[in-house]
Amino acid sequence: MRPPTSTLRRNVLLDRVVCQQQRLVLVPQSRLPGTLRALTTSRAPASTPSQRLKAGYFVSNAFLSRVKANGIHDLASSARSSTVASTTSTTADGSSSTTQPTTSTDLPPVDNTLLPHRRRQAQRKAAAAAAAYGATTTPLINPDAPTADLAPDASSQLAAAAASAPADSFKRRLSSLLSLSKPRLTVLVVLSAMVPYALYPVPSFLTSSALDTSLAPSLSPLTLLFLTTGTTLCSASANALNMLYEPDTDSRMTRTRTRPLVRRLLTTKAAVLFAVGCGLAGTLALYFGVNPTVSFLGAANIALYAGAYTPLKRISAVNTWVGAIVGGIPPLMGWAAAAGESATGDGTWRELLFASDGSSLGGWLFAGLLFAWQFPHFMPLSWGIRHEYKAAGLRMLAWTNPARNGRVALRYSVAFIPLCVGLSATGVTEWSFAVTSLPVNAWLVWEAIKFWRLGGHKGSARGLFWASVWHLPVIMVLALAQKKGMWGRVWRSVFGEPEEEEGEWVYEDEDEEEEGGVVKK
């Protein structure tokens, strides 16, 4: 009986290229009609096992690549590997023996050059084809996992570049050291410090009076340079110490097994020197280039991330909250850096972070935004690889308490609404920001509700993860575009101040009026 056409997924072009004799190899002999089975067994020696389809049977390699990109080659390979026909082998005494068909649980790897949705489609088709041939398989990529759509991170790409470089070369060492810093995470940390620095309500920074520093302080590009440089070095130090602490658990997880210390691209001594050097340079740059308060916050962030968050991952799920505190410190650093430039008192941490006039509330609101964002971002991400976290011995809510995992993501997603309103109420942004940010926050809350109700299944984890990825930059851009009084100052700087009418006289008080004195305004 001939197998169904839908199972083999044959293509007209494939039929024209592959010869009839080799196409029969794809089909188990036990499923061939009697005439064809006799024909194939009579042509092939009894001692010759079935041969796999080679690339040489195709007309051109270019056509092979095109077919593979469309998923045809992968499906054919899956069909061949899932069921092996009964083969005749020759024993030592010359007799022949027949082995029963065997099944395989391995699926062909999905082509990473395809678009994410194409990779998922190819994986589903391969799994369906293998199941149709009687194989019990598990997809290599969980379609519900948020990481199924992610390209390799920057650390993995740099580690791969280092591994391909010659030993003891400058490129190998530089790529390995950059991989230790987790570049994408470091960039996010630096941006989260820059936005509050830019949003600090410095008066009249676009007017001509801002040129006179004695009248109106302005943001300093030099201070911003020291802030970004010091924050980058502190983040690199914390990330390197994190990798130094857990190379054994990193080797057990798919998303971390390519890190440089796991692949032995660097010695432990070199990694320690890099971490300590970046930490010292970063805190000194913040101390002398910004102010001591920001330097202390940078050092505290290193200590919390490497000394508290990383060890707690093996002990308790509380580590997620500690990691969220680490994420909320960089906005405070940016706010304190800007506040130090316009400080009227002694400029200590009390004035910069706990001002009596309430001017420091904006920095704490930004810290709250980044603190709350960690949960709708990390909870669905950890859910997709919860089994790996469990196997590595890292205690995450995704596997220790899945129900609470969804509730926590929903709770902190809702927190964004009052936080955005608070930024408008404290005078950091215009009230229009509270209105324009509402649809973005509502989208995040809706995805969090689905994640909570469905427990991460049916694509709810992937939906919440990608909503969080887009949510934070959109909120930051909206806040920057609606800074309090910014557009009014832009208008006045372009069209000038409104001129007052001449000849306007104002009497100051009754005494001067009786004396006949008048003052011109």
Side-chain angles (χ1 to χ4, degrees), residues 265-285:
L265 299 175
L266 279 175
T267 62
T268 302
K269 180 180 178 180
V272 170
L273 291 176
F274 174 79
V276 174
C278 287
L280 289 176
T283 52
L284 289 176

Side-chain angles (χ1 to χ4, degrees), residues 79-235:
R80 291 198 306 273
S81 61
S82 61
T83 303
V84 180
S86 299
T87 57
T88 304
S89 59
T90 304
T91 60
D93 58 359
S95 60
S96 61
S97 62
T98 302
T99 60
Q100 296 297 325
T102 60
T103 60
S104 173
T105 60
D106 295 331
L107 288 178
V110 178
D111 189 359
N112 289 328
T113 61
L114 298 177
L115 295 175
H117 69 284
R118 294 294 185 189
R119 291 203 303 268
R120 295 196 300 271
Q121 292 175 0
Q123 187 66 39
R124 293 190 186 99
K125 291 178 181 178
Y133 274 86
T136 305
T137 61
T138 301
L140 296 179
I141 299 177
N142 181 9
D144 287 332
T147 52
D149 294 343
L150 291 177
D153 59 17
S155 294
S156 300
Q157 294 175 356
L158 288 169
S164 62
D168 298 329
S169 64
F170 176 76
K171 179 181 178 181
R172 184 186 184 96
R173 293 178 180 176
L174 179 61
S175 299
S176 300
L177 292 176
L178 289 177
S179 180
L180 281 177
S181 66
K182 300 181 183 177
R184 291 182 182 174
L185 178 59
T186 297
V187 169
L188 176 62
V189 170
V190 173
L191 289 177
S192 65
M194 292 175 63
V195 171
Y197 181 84
L199 282 170
Y200 185 82
V202 178
S204 305
F205 74 98
L206 285 178
T207 62
S208 58
S209 62
L211 299 176
D212 186 358
T213 56
S214 63
L215 298 178
S218 61
L219 299 180
S220 169
L222 185 60
T223 302
L224 179 61
L225 176 63
F226 276 102
L227 174 65
T228 54
T229 303
T231 305
T232 300
L233 292 173
C234 288
S235 176

Side-chain angles (χ1 to χ4, degrees), residues 440-491:
V440 186
N441 292 329
W443 173 41
L444 184 70
V445 171
W446 173 244
E447 294 293 342
I449 290 175
K450 292 195 297 183
F451 177 72
W452 167 60
R453 287 182 175 177
L454 300 176
H457 298 284
K458 297 183 180 180
S460 58
R462 185 171 63 251
L464 179 58
F465 173 79
W466 284 108
S468 68
V469 169
W470 286 103
H471 175 271
L472 185 62
V474 171
I475 290 294
M476 293 300 183
V477 170
L478 288 175
L480 287 170
Q482 299 171 83
K483 180 178 179 178
K484 181 70 173 180
M486 182 180 68
W487 293 109
R489 288 189 289 269
V490 171
W491 177 272

Side-chain angles (χ1 to χ4, degrees), residues 248-249 252-255 313-315 319 378 381-402:
D248 55 337
T249 55
R252 304 176 193 174
M253 301 185 63
T254 304
R255 60 189 294 264
K313 291 165 70 175
R314 301 171 181 262
I315 301 174
N319 70 83
F378 179 74
L381 176 64
S382 62
W383 183 89
I385 52 176
R386 59 195 182 280
H387 301 300
E388 294 189 12
Y389 275 121
K390 185 176 182 180
L394 303 179
R395 301 189 64 82
M396 302 296 172
L397 280 181
W399 69 269
T400 59
N401 194 339

